[in-house]
Amino acid sequence: MRAVDLIVKKRNGYEMTREEIFFFLRGFSEGTIPDYQVSAWAMAVLLKGMSERETCDLTEAMIESGEQLDLSGVVPFAVDKHSTGGVGDKTTLVVLPIVTANGVPVGKMSGKGLSFTGGTLDKMESFPGYRVDLTKDEFLKQLKEIGIVLSGQTEDLAPADGKLYALRDVTGTVPSTPLIAASVMSKKIAAGAQGIVLDVKVGLGAFMKTIDEATELAERMIDIGTRFGNKVTVLISDMNQPLGNAVGNILEVREAIDTLMGGGPEDFREHSLVVAAHMLVLAGRSTDVDEAKAMCARSLEDGSGLEKFRTLIRAHGGDVQYLDNPDMFPTASYVETVDSWESGFISEVHAREIGLGAMTLGAGRESKGDPIDHSVGIVVHKKVGQIVEKSEALFTIHSNDEQSLKNAIERTTKAFKFSKSPVDELPLFYRTILS
Ligand code: URA
C-alpha cells in the first residue's frame, strides 16, 4: 500500500477500507508517512467527507494509537462531558462539582485553549499551584479516593489525535465533520467514558455555523458512541454570543465561583444545570432531566457544589484561599469600561470577535505552547435581546498594556450591533439528541 494512492482515492471521493485507514494512521503515528501527505489527505477528507463506517474506523485507529483507560474498577459508571469549544465556556468548572455533589464521580481530562476558544486547564491554572499534569496512576487514585479529577490528557491517550489535530490546525482542516467526530470521540473513549454529554456549539463563535451542520456532527458522534457501546447525549447549544459575561481565565473563574455560590449570570447558570442534569441521567442517578436539574440547582444553593470545587482544587495542589477570597487573584493594570454609544436593543454580540479580542489581550494563544496572561479579558454587560440606554456600561476590557487595551476596545466595539425594535433573546439550546 502507498500513502499517495490513498490520498488520490480519497481526493476522488472513494471510500477507504478499514485496512487502508489503519495503515494510514499507523504510518502517521510511526512517522513513515510524512506530515505533508497526511495534510493532503486531511484536506481530501475535508472536501470529500467520510462514510459513517470510515469515521468509526478512523476513531478506532486513533484509540488504538495509544493506551486506553479502564475506569470500571474505579467508578460504578464513567460519565464525561465535552464541549466542541466556545467563548466564555467555563461550564466544566461548575458542572463537575455539582455532578459529584450529587453522588456521581467524574474524572475528566481536558485541554488547553487554542485560538479564540478558551481552555479549561488554563482556567484551572489560575489557581496558583494547580497541577494539570497528573500521571495515569495519580488520576485513577484521586478518582477512586475523592471522586473528582480535572486534569490534562495524558500523552499516551489517542496520541494520533493530538498529532493530527496539530496538523489540521495549521492546514485549514479543522472544520471537517468526520475529523472532529473522530477526534472528540477517540479521546473520550480512550479516557474510559461510558456515558458522554456532548455540548456541540453552533453559531458565530463555533466551528459549526448552522444547526444542520451541528446536527450532522451530533449524529456522527452518536453513531460512533453507539458502535463502541456508549450512551451519548448531544446538546446543540448557542455560540453566537459568549456564554455568561466573562471571557478570559481569571475573569471566568470568578464567574464560575459566583455561580457555585448561587449567583452568576442566568444564562451560564442555566446552561451548566442542563449539562449537569443530563450527566446525572446518563449515570442513572435520575430518570428525569427536570428532577436532575432541580438536584443540581440545590447543589448551587446549599454550597455542596462549592465544597466539591474546593476539594478538587486542593487535591490538585491549588491554593484554595483564592476560592474564599477571589480578590486575591491578580488584576490587570488597565481596566476600562466602555459605555453604549446607542440606545436600543442588542441584536448581536459577536462571539468570535469577543474571543479574538480576548486572545489578542493575551488571554488565549495563537500557537500551541504560547504563554498566556491569566488576568486579562473582556466582560460584556449586555447580551442579545437586552435593552441598553446610551451611556450605560456595555463592556469592560482588562488589559496589561495600553496598546492592547486600545485594540481590544476597537475590536469589541465592532462586535456589538443594535436594533431600534425588540430583539428576541438567543436560545441556550437548539436541540437535544439522545442515543
Ligand atoms: N475539538 C476536538 O477535540 N477536536 C476537534 O477536531 C475539534 C474540536
Side-chain angles (χ1 to χ4, degrees):
M1 239 183 263
R2 293 191 320 154
V4 62
D5 297 330
L6 301 182
I7 298 168
V8 169
K9 187 171 187 184
K10 190 36 76 187
R11 187 201 65 195
N12 292 342
Y14 293 106
E15 212 178 331
M16 288 169 76
T17 66
R18 181 177 167 83
E19 291 67 37
E20 287 168 343
I21 289 174
F22 273 77
F23 165 83
F24 203 82
L25 255 279
R26 211 169 289 132
F28 177 48
S29 297
E30 290 167 0
T32 51
I33 300 181
D35 286 1
Y36 52 82
Q37 285 190 306
V38 180
S39 305
W41 172 83
M43 186 57 83
V45 171
L46 180 126
L47 297 173
K48 299 292 175 167
M50 270 188 155
S51 68
E52 284 181 3
R53 200 266 311 144
E54 281 178 298
T55 314
C56 285
D57 286 340
L58 178 64
T59 309
E60 200 176 327
M62 300 217 279
I63 294 170
E64 288 188 4
S65 70
E67 233 192 295
Q68 248 185 291
L69 220 55
D70 180 6
L71 301 180
S72 58
V74 185
V75 291
F77 183 84
V79 69
D80 202 348
K81 76 164 278 279
H82 183 85
S83 151
T84 55
V87 177
D89 187 1
K90 68 235 44 136
T91 310
T92 294
L93 275 59
V94 169
V95 164
L96 246 59
I98 58 180
V99 170
T100 41
N102 280 287
V104 174
V106 191
K108 178 163 170 52
M109 294 196 185
S110 246
K112 297 218 170 195
L114 197 55
S115 182
F116 60 90
T117 63
T120 299
L121 297 184
D122 297 318
K123 300 180 219 290
M124 293 311 291
E125 282 184 330
S126 302
F127 290 97
Y130 191 98
R131 273 187 62 208
V132 298
D133 59 350
L134 299 195
T135 62
K136 181 180 137 196
D137 288 344
E138 286 172 328
F139 183 96
L140 294 174
K141 183 168 181 278
Q142 185 174 319
L143 183 57
K144 194 166 187 133
E145 285 176 5
I146 62 167
I148 183 165
V149 192
L150 180 50
S151 187
Q153 186 175 319
T154 53
E155 279 182 5
D156 43 12
L157 287 188
D161 169 59
K163 211 172 157 200
L164 182 58
Y165 192 90
L167 266 192
R168 289 166 56 211
D169 195 42
V170 291
T171 55
T173 50
V174 168
S176 147
T177 301
L179 293 182
I180 296 177
S183 164
V184 169
M185 294 305 284
S186 63
K187 281 191 281 250
K188 296 285 118 183
I189 296 168
Q194 296 165 289
I196 311 164
V197 175
L198 295 166
D199 184 3
V200 174
K201 305 286 187 197
V202 61
L204 298 169
F207 295 127
M208 299 292 136
K209 300 294 177 216
T210 67
I211 296 172
D212 283 349
E213 278 171 10
T215 304
E216 197 197 324
L217 176 63
E219 284 168 354
R220 276 297 166 105
M221 295 197 287
I222 287 178
D223 182 61
I224 297 168
T226 307
R227 288 194 197 209
F228 281 87
N230 292 337
K231 293 201 262 178
V232 181
T233 297
V234 183
L235 305 170
I236 296 186
S237 69
D238 182 76
M239 192 32 71
N240 284 298
Q241 63 181 349
L243 183 59
N245 296 342
V247 181
N249 298 287
I250 286 173
L251 298 170
E252 290 188 50
V253 167
R254 295 188 69 155
E255 196 163 88
I257 295 172
D258 285 347
T259 307
L260 284 165
M261 291 175 124
E266 193 42 47
D267 66 333
F268 172 59
R269 175 190 156 91
E270 177 67 15
H271 183 94
S272 303
L273 289 176
V274 171
V275 173
H278 280 283
M279 289 173 77
L280 291 189
V281 170
L282 279 187
R285 184 73 181 76
S286 168
T287 51
D288 179 70
V289 176
D290 289 333
E291 180 197 65
K293 233 178 103 181
M295 289 157 66
C296 293
R298 273 197 298 279
S299 307
L300 295 180
E301 309 313 333
D302 67 12
S304 55
L306 185 69
E307 278 320 299
K308 285 287 178 192
F309 197 45
R310 183 191 309 281
T311 306
L312 173 74
I313 295 162
R314 190 178 283 128
H316 282 262
D319 188 342
V320 289
Q321 288 182 82
Y322 287 75
L323 185 62
D324 298 316
N325 187 5
D327 286 340
M328 282 174 69
F329 281 117
T331 49
S333 352
Y334 301 90
V335 178
E336 193 166 318
T337 295
V338 174
D339 296 335
S340 182
W341 49 97
E342 280 195 41
S343 299
F345 296 87
I346 304 288
S347 60
E348 188 172 289
V349 187
H350 199 300
R352 189 167 198 272
E353 289 304 310
I354 303 278
L356 285 169
M359 188 186 92
T360 50
L361 284 165
R365 45 178 80 76
E366 255 166 87
S367 309
K368 208 173 159 186
D370 284 354
I372 57 163
D373 183 342
H374 285 86
S375 65
V376 298
I378 300 171
V379 179
V380 299
H381 303 299
K382 295 284 175 185
K383 306 284 291 272
V384 171
Q386 293 181 341
I387 299 181
V388 65
E389 299 295 336
K390 200 169 174 178
S391 306
E392 221 185 322
L394 194 59
F395 62 86
T396 303
I397 306 288
H398 298 243
S399 175
N400 274 325
D401 90 84
E402 217 168 343
Q403 189 53 47
S404 305
L405 174 73
K406 283 197 187 117
N407 297 344
I409 289 177
E410 204 177 307
R411 182 157 221 151
T412 310
T413 299
K414 289 189 194 141
F416 281 85
K417 288 204 179 117
F418 303 83
S419 163
K420 288 290 167 211
S421 43
V423 174
D424 287 340
E425 283 185 11
L426 287 169
L428 284 178
F429 296 97
Y430 295 99
R431 275 185 199 161
T432 303
I433 310 174
L434 310 177
S435 62

